[in-house]
Amino acid sequence: QVQLVESGGELVQAGGSLRLSCAASGRAFSTTMVGWFRQAPGKEREFVSAINWSGGSAWYGDSVKGRFAISRENAKNTVNLQMNSLKPEDTAVYYCAARYSGGRSSYYSGGSYAYWGQGTQVTVSS
């Protein structure tokens, strides 16, 4: 089992940058697939990004490609999401999630992740 805690969310102006972190505790974090998802008020949860256990493969949702970058430091049990060129439509609660199984299949599906953090609020003002 793994426990996840997100941090780094805050209010930022459009065009600015933020770095979110997901700190993990528990067994074998280095073997997990980790994803970032977001949910804005009144909207469905949206896939943002995912990274495989080694950090060698990463995927992004269409709305954030070219602006966000995911990375992980297994020695520190941390996954980071660097968010650049932020837009008001990026405003949401951001969640990190982890799973031990499934390979790279359905990395974009929140339902495939067993463990979730409590979320961190990102607000982008225009």
Side-chain angles (χ1 to χ4, degrees):
Q1 192 166 355
V2 63
Q3 294 79 41
L4 305 171
V5 178
E6 303 94 335
S7 62
E10 62 181 70
L11 172 64
V12 64
Q13 287 191 335
S17 297
L18 280 177
R19 184 179 178 88
L20 303 184
S21 292
C22 176
S25 60
R27 72 172 182 90
F29 176 72
S30 62
T31 67
T32 61
M33 170 80 79
V34 175
W36 283 96
F37 295 80
R38 66 186 183 187
Q39 188 164 22
K43 294 188 176 181
E44 293 188 352
R45 184 172 59 196
E46 177 187 12
F47 168 72
V48 176
S49 183
I51 190 166
N52 76 332
W53 66 274
S54 68
S57 295
W59 302 269
Y60 298 92
D62 288 343
S63 62
V64 306
K65 279 180 182 176
R67 299 188 298 124
F68 290 12
I70 192 170
S71 62
R72 70 188 296 163
E73 299 179 76
N74 285 338
K76 297 182 179 180
N77 280 2
T78 301
V79 171
N80 299 308
L81 185 69
Q82 179 67 40
M83 306 188 298
N84 300 325
S85 302
L86 284 162
K87 305 175 181 179
E89 50 264 45
D90 293 319
T91 294
V93 178
Y94 284 70
Y95 299 90
C96 71
R99 69 187 198 198
Y100 288 107
S101 61
R104 63 175 59 191
S105 67
S106 302
Y107 59 81
Y108 49 83
S109 171
S112 70
Y113 292 81
Y115 306 100
W116 291 79
Q118 84 290 347
T120 186
Q121 176 71 49
V122 172
T123 303
V124 184
S125 64
S126 57

